[in-house]
Amino acid sequence: MAKKATGSVKLQIAAGKATPAPPVGPALGQAQVNIMEFCKQFNARTSQKELEGLIVPVVITVYSDRTFTFITKTPPASILLKRAAGIAKGSGAPNKDKVGKVTLKQVEEIAKQKMPDLNAASVDAAIKSVRGRRGRWGLKWWDKIVDIGFCHKHHGLSE
């Protein structure tokens, strides 16, 4: 007989850096999950070099016998865009001040990485989804602008 799931917990944790401190400890303590066991498993699963410094969303399913399973998702597109642009944070006024640049190639790589977690039917749809987040962070396109139907002359962006 299969175990009965009693709930789930969603968290965003720095890759390889889960600790019993907030937010992990209190969230898992309420769900009566072995916090140290989760931290060990999460840190082992997310200690790859390419995830270093990224935030990793995780969904933890808690069962009636206080055991758990979890799945990790891809980092948020906003975090990946900031990393690609080489900036620490987005613009305070994204419609006025542009703080970084991303290329179509970088956006395409991010879209391909995010495909398992997006409900996009194709890579082009995923690119459009990621492209929409770019403006909220004060980033501008750098190359191949016209190829994706976004002309900088008509949208007030300068090179």
Side-chain angles (χ1 to χ4, degrees):
M1 186 166 131
K3 295 189 239 181
K4 183 179 180 196
T6 59
S8 67
V9 179
K10 294 180 182 180
L11 296 170
Q12 291 191 0
I13 309 167
K17 295 188 176 162
T19 64
V24 178
L28 295 182
Q30 284 182 334
Q32 297 182 340
V33 170
N34 183 337
I35 299 165
M36 284 309 297
E37 184 60 31
F38 168 76
C39 291
K40 286 179 193 172
Q41 289 182 27
F42 178 83
N43 291 340
R45 194 181 296 182
T46 60
S47 61
Q48 298 98 339
K49 184 76 170 164
E50 64 269 3
L51 290 176
E52 189 174 305
L54 294 177
I55 301 295
V56 178
V58 60
V59 179
I60 306 150
T61 304
V62 183
Y63 298 101
S64 57
D65 63 354
R66 297 172 58 181
T67 59
F68 65 91
T69 58
F70 68 94
I71 57 168
T72 56
K73 305 230 179 213
T74 56
S78 56
I79 302 290
L80 296 172
L81 282 168
K82 287 192 299 184
R83 179 186 247 188
I87 58 174
K89 65 179 196 168
S91 173
N95 293 333
K96 295 179 184 176
D97 303 324
K98 301 302 177 191
V99 294
K101 300 170 189 157
V102 290
T103 65
L104 176 59
K105 183 84 173 150
Q106 289 172 314
V107 171
E108 189 174 333
E109 288 171 17
I110 292 169
K112 286 178 182 174
Q113 184 178 354
K114 291 288 299 169
M115 273 300 284
D117 293 337
L118 294 175
N119 59 357
S122 66
V123 174
D124 287 338
I127 289 172
K128 287 179 183 177
S129 175
V130 172
R131 197 174 96 182
R133 288 165 176 72
R134 165 218 36 107
R136 295 185 201 122
W137 285 90
L139 300 174
K140 66 180 178 180
W141 300 111
W142 192 239
D143 66 4
K144 305 240 183 205
I145 294 170
V146 178
D147 290 353
I148 56 172
F150 186 84
C151 178
H152 65 277
K153 286 181 184 177
H154 297 99
H155 293 280
L157 299 180
S158 61
E159 292 187 37

